[in-house]
Amino acid sequence: LDQQTEGYDLDHIKRALRETYGMISHVDEQVGRVMEAVEASGQADNTVIIFTADHGEQHGEHNLLYKGLYPYQGHTRVPFILNVPWADSEHRGQQVDTPISSGLDLMPTVLDLAGVAQPGAGSTGLDADARTLPGESLAPVALSGIQPQRRSAMVELSARTGGPDEWVQMRKLVTEDYRLIVYYPTQEVLLFDVHNDPHEQVNIADRPENKAIVADLMAQMLNEISRTERCLPSPRTRRY
């Protein structure tokens, strides 16, 4: 570990790592308690268990600790563990690295496994477009090994940096080949090659040969922002 990590001395860094491992052990123990309670209830064969998180933390990578407006994988990549007791035995225990899943998939997956229709299912026109969930159900992945359809995922983070109108926004588009990060209002752009630079050490956004790649990923990011953040009024309340 770099002793200059974010200005912390080595003792502080070691303590931070011990605290993290302690939290991991604590969570592991609590998950065990939940599993034991499900078994004791007699409902283990009828209970879906999902383990995920809202963010990770930096542990010295890029000379950073803890969480923040960081764009790196240590901070933005989280587990999505899905246990479905009635899944085909041949698909239980499988690991899906790509394509990419998203936290938006959580609700559609739960509804699908519970046999509940998504909000707006069967609706037409603007009402359906406004109400249909933007995520993708991962139930087919767990039940039949069918691969997800998504080829990219968005990471979003906004934080107040000062007064009530002082904000920094970070948006990250993750694909199978690249990770594009954009900050606002600084307009800083980062681009990492997943295959050649998995640890995100070299920003290649400003290289002339990558201009078309950045433009294409920007278009994908804008599409994802529009698709996932849309908020259309119901036809019943629309006013002109």
Side-chain angles (χ1 to χ4, degrees):
L1 287 174
D2 189 335
Q3 295 193 37
Q4 300 304 313
T5 295
E6 212 175 34
Y8 298 116
D9 60 35
L10 188 57
D11 287 339
H12 185 109
I13 296 170
K14 290 181 177 179
R15 183 170 66 254
L17 294 179
R18 288 196 299 268
E19 291 170 351
T20 297
Y21 283 116
M23 289 187 286
I24 292 172
S25 297
H26 176 71
V27 170
D28 185 65
E29 182 177 354
Q30 303 315 308
V31 170
R33 293 179 61 192
V34 171
M35 300 291 286
E36 290 173 358
V38 171
E39 288 287 345
S41 72
Q43 295 296 317
D45 293 336
N46 192 40
T47 301
V48 174
I49 297 176
I50 300 175
F51 182 86
T52 187
D54 56 343
H55 62 80
E57 290 198 357
Q58 299 297 138
H59 296 123
E61 312 95 323
H62 301 277
N63 288 336
L64 297 171
L65 284 179
Y66 307 119
K67 64 179 181 179
L69 280 165
Y70 308 142
Y72 306 112
Q73 286 293 87
H75 191 241
T76 61
R77 186 177 182 181
V78 297
F80 196 114
I81 302 173
L82 179 60
N83 178 48
V84 183
W86 55 90
D88 294 341
S89 58
E90 62 181 294
H91 300 300
R92 293 179 63 83
Q94 67 174 321
Q95 180 174 332
V96 180
D97 292 319
T98 56
I100 299 126
S101 63
S102 164
L104 293 175
D105 302 333
L106 181 59
M107 185 174 177
T109 301
V110 171
L111 292 176
D112 201 0
L113 291 171
V116 178
Q118 290 192 26
S123 300
T124 58
L126 289 175
D127 191 51
D129 190 43
R131 294 171 181 268
T132 303
L133 298 173
E136 175 185 351
S137 172
L138 299 179
V141 180
L143 296 174
S144 306
I146 298 174
Q147 294 297 298
Q149 297 301 307
R150 176 185 288 107
R151 290 298 181 268
S152 64
M154 279 283 294
V155 178
E156 303 171 281
L157 181 61
S158 300
R160 183 173 290 153
T161 58
D165 297 324
E166 296 179 14
W167 289 81
V168 171
Q169 295 181 320
M170 186 272 287
R171 298 294 183 265
K172 177 178 182 178
L173 183 75
V174 181
T175 72
E176 294 177 322
D177 299 316
Y178 296 99
R179 299 172 190 140
L180 177 76
I181 299 98
V182 178
Y183 282 93
Y184 181 84
T186 63
Q187 299 185 13
E188 181 181 5
V189 178
L190 306 175
L191 177 67
F192 298 109
D193 185 322
V194 170
H195 304 292
N196 296 316
D197 183 24
H199 300 297
E200 303 167 313
Q201 299 292 318
V202 181
N203 178 17
I204 58 174
D206 291 333
R207 294 182 180 179
E209 65 270 24
N210 293 328
K211 185 177 181 179
I213 294 173
V214 171
D216 177 65
L217 292 172
M218 283 285 193
Q220 292 186 49
M221 177 180 286
L222 288 173
N223 180 71
E224 279 298 290
I225 291 173
S226 299
R227 186 182 70 84
T228 59
E229 297 184 2
R230 65 177 184 264
C231 185
L232 300 178
S234 169
R236 292 183 295 275
T237 60
R238 189 175 295 110
R239 295 290 183 269
Y240 297 96

